[in-house]
Amino acid sequence: MYSITPFAVRCYKSPGLSDTVARMPADTAAPALLTGWGRTAPTAAARLVRPRSYDEAVSAVRAVRAGSSGGSRGGIARGLGRAYGDAAQNAGGYVLDMTGLDRIRTIDAEAGVVVCDAGVSLHQLMEVLLPLGWFVPVTPGTRYVTVGGAIGADIHGKNHHVSGSFARHVLSLDLLTADGDVLAVPRGAELFDATAGGMGLTGVILGATVQLHPVETSLMSVDTERAAGLDDLLARLTGTDHRYRYSVAWIDLLARGTSMGRSVLTRGDHAPPEALAALPKGARRAPLAFRPGRLPAAPSFVPDRLLRRTSVGLFNEFWYRRAPKSRTGELQRIPAFFHPLDGVPHWNRVYGRGGFVQYQFVLGYGQEDALHRIVRRISDRGCPSFLAVLKRFGAGDPGWLSFPLPGWTLALDIPANLPALGPFLDELDEEVADAGGRVYLAKDSRLRPDLLAAMYPRVDEFRALRAELDPHGVFMSDLARRLDL
């Protein structure tokens, strides 16, 4: 049976609201067509609601609950829409746009702890916290994700081998459950572990208390090197990754033969104040300034023919050759190191009208042969991916559906209109599952449900908890229906 210790729970009752009849928030829209960041699998929500307070969120969920008992299709929370697949969509049902809950409530500048609403983005946190000498504990390849989304997907970053995933740094969260109550759920509770990586299906995350990472500058000290092939890359990561807090490798998935898996390895840490001595005097006056750059938006239409194997192969050749064979101590701004694509608004348009599939899997240590086979199959298939990265994961995280496990993770973007892409990825899924690995649900839009249990051994516990907490299916998404979560 699901349980949580009484002292760990704070129940919040919205004043003046009936248990069965609720007001809808003022920001309520008509049906809305939604997709993930990959712009695939579009579906229309029957109603898009944007709560701006806990009260309004409670009202919305109670309205969804009232409709669920009458056969409606439930509701799901949505942040900034950076999940690549269908996790934050709900065909024919409610979608709660959580970006209206965007308040940073308290900051303990000595302890490095922030309390904020779930709709606060990592970008907002960086703007406010970097000048105070604190950085978010984990960031993915974009800072335009909300705190609620970071917990619901239990995001990881370049520092997983050191710091784990985002939920490991969350001290507690406020969770709006299907019955309209708000629970304060501490780290370590069963409900916390089900919610971390639970893709919004245990309830609506309204706010969180997060432990931050101390920094002395807003610059990164970066080492870059080239790896001649996949074996060379894995050896470099295995032998020296412990020296760096952040580590990632861009990998050429079109290279073949002895060059298969050739890579550009980029690793670094937050620069100390003395490293700024090499900068012009003006740049040293504000060592903690956060200055994200911005480039012109990607065009609204890119011809599909630009994303063929030949053109992407030329780009990969150029990218590999322009990288230094070895360079140490280069100073880079935080946006350039962590979020280079954020400087190009709507960069997801470059894949053309059909959008793209982001495919990410992880294989445990000891499964390097399987990793070689998969990379070789991708290379032989000629998947035109110029945004492919390989990282090394550390210890797994407690979330029941959290993606990371100790091992190697590879993520790649593939144009969705590539012929026979679905069957090809199905075959990769089977190989990943056979090797004890898994795919990342926050990026998925096409995994077969029969493979889910092999990839996520605690999925039956998750389903049982969901059935107990939410027997009427108040919280539902396209992903949940597709995978029977």
Side-chain angles (χ1 to χ4, degrees), residues 180-225:
D181 291 338
V182 178
L183 305 182
V185 186
R187 183 173 60 189
E190 185 181 54
L191 182 54
F192 185 101
D193 291 345
T195 300
M199 308 310 296
L201 297 172
T202 61
V204 178
I205 300 169
L206 297 178
T209 302
V210 183
Q211 178 67 59
L212 305 166
H213 177 69
V215 296
E216 296 179 283
T217 74
S218 60
L219 293 174
M220 305 297 297
S221 178
V222 181
D223 294 353
T224 304
E225 57 191 291

Side-chain angles (χ1 to χ4, degrees), residues 61-81:
V61 167
R62 289 184 176 177
V64 174
R65 184 182 67 183
S68 296
S69 62
S72 79
R73 293 172 65 82
I76 194 70
R78 181 182 176 93
L80 287 165

Side-chain angles (χ1 to χ4, degrees), residues 52-396:
R52 291 174 291 183
S53 68
Y54 278 26
D55 277 352
E56 290 190 354
V58 170
S59 299
V61 167
R62 289 184 176 177
V64 174
R65 184 182 67 183
S68 296
S69 62
S72 79
R73 293 172 65 82
I76 194 70
R78 181 182 176 93
L80 287 165
R82 289 314 198 268
Y84 284 80
D86 55 3
Q89 298 167 217
N90 185 25
Y94 286 84
V95 172
L96 278 65
D97 176 354
M98 300 301 294
T99 57
L101 272 73
D102 60 355
R103 287 168 293 180
I104 297 176
R105 295 179 177 267
T106 65
I107 300 170
D108 186 335
E110 291 191 5
V113 175
V114 62
V115 181
C116 64
D117 289 349
V120 170
S121 70
L122 300 191
H123 176 86
Q124 287 175 263
L125 290 181
M126 291 177 197
E127 284 187 314
V128 173
L129 297 170
L130 265 172
L132 302 177
W134 297 98
F135 190 61
V136 294
V138 172
T139 178
T142 174
R143 60 187 179 272
Y144 295 112
V145 297
T146 62
V147 169
I151 298 169
D154 201 12
I155 61 170
H156 57 271
K158 299 176 182 178
N159 59 339
H160 190 277
H161 64 293
V162 173
S163 302
S165 59
F166 191 87
R168 191 181 295 186
H169 307 271
V170 176
L171 305 180
S172 66
L173 58 88
D174 291 336
L175 186 72
L176 172 55
T177 60
D179 59 9
D181 291 338
V182 178
L183 305 182
V185 186
R187 183 173 60 189
E190 185 181 54
L191 182 54
F192 185 101
D193 291 345
T195 300
M199 308 310 296
L201 297 172
T202 61
V204 178
I205 300 169
L206 297 178
T209 302
V210 183
Q211 178 67 59
L212 305 166
H213 177 69
V215 296
E216 296 179 283
T217 74
S218 60
L219 293 174
M220 305 297 297
S221 178
V222 181
D223 294 353
T224 304
E225 57 191 291
R226 293 197 312 223
L230 187 57
D231 285 331
D232 185 22
L233 173 63
L234 299 186
R236 290 172 188 255
L237 288 169
T238 301
T240 60
D241 230 22
H242 63 280
R243 302 175 188 170
Y244 300 90
R245 176 170 293 275
Y246 303 100
S247 175
V248 67
W250 169 87
I251 183 169
D252 182 357
L253 291 176
L254 289 177
R256 304 176 71 176
T258 58
S259 295
M260 186 190 77
R262 65 179 181 178
S263 309
V264 178
L265 181 55
T266 307
R267 298 182 286 187
D269 207 335
H270 299 277
E274 55 268 24
L276 275 60
L279 298 177
K281 187 177 294 185
R284 285 178 261 158
R285 290 181 186 145
L288 288 165
F290 180 53
R291 301 188 182 96
R294 198 166 180 86
L295 298 172
S300 58
F301 170 68
V302 176
D304 292 339
R305 62 181 177 274
L306 291 182
L307 296 171
R308 302 286 175 83
R309 175 170 181 158
T310 300
S311 56
V312 175
L314 290 172
F315 171 85
N316 287 359
E317 182 71 26
F318 165 77
W319 196 256
Y320 180 77
R321 295 295 176 188
R322 75 181 289 274
K325 290 184 178 180
S326 179
R327 181 175 61 202
T328 61
E330 180 191 14
L331 293 179
Q332 294 183 9
R333 297 195 182 279
I334 278 174
F337 181 76
F338 289 104
H339 318 117
L341 289 175
D342 281 349
V344 184
H346 307 296
W347 65 263
N348 56 338
R349 295 173 179 170
V350 302
Y351 290 88
R353 291 194 178 109
F356 67 98
V357 173
Q358 168 106 167
Y359 186 70
Q360 183 169 6
F361 65 89
V362 59
L363 296 174
Y365 295 123
Q367 294 295 333
E368 287 76 15
D369 286 346
L371 178 63
H372 275 78
R373 287 195 302 271
I374 292 173
V375 170
R376 186 175 298 108
R377 291 186 67 175
I378 294 171
S379 174
D380 290 344
R381 180 67 172 75
C383 293
S385 177
F386 54 84
L387 292 175
V389 295
L390 185 140
K391 295 192 290 284
R392 182 172 163 265
F393 279 163

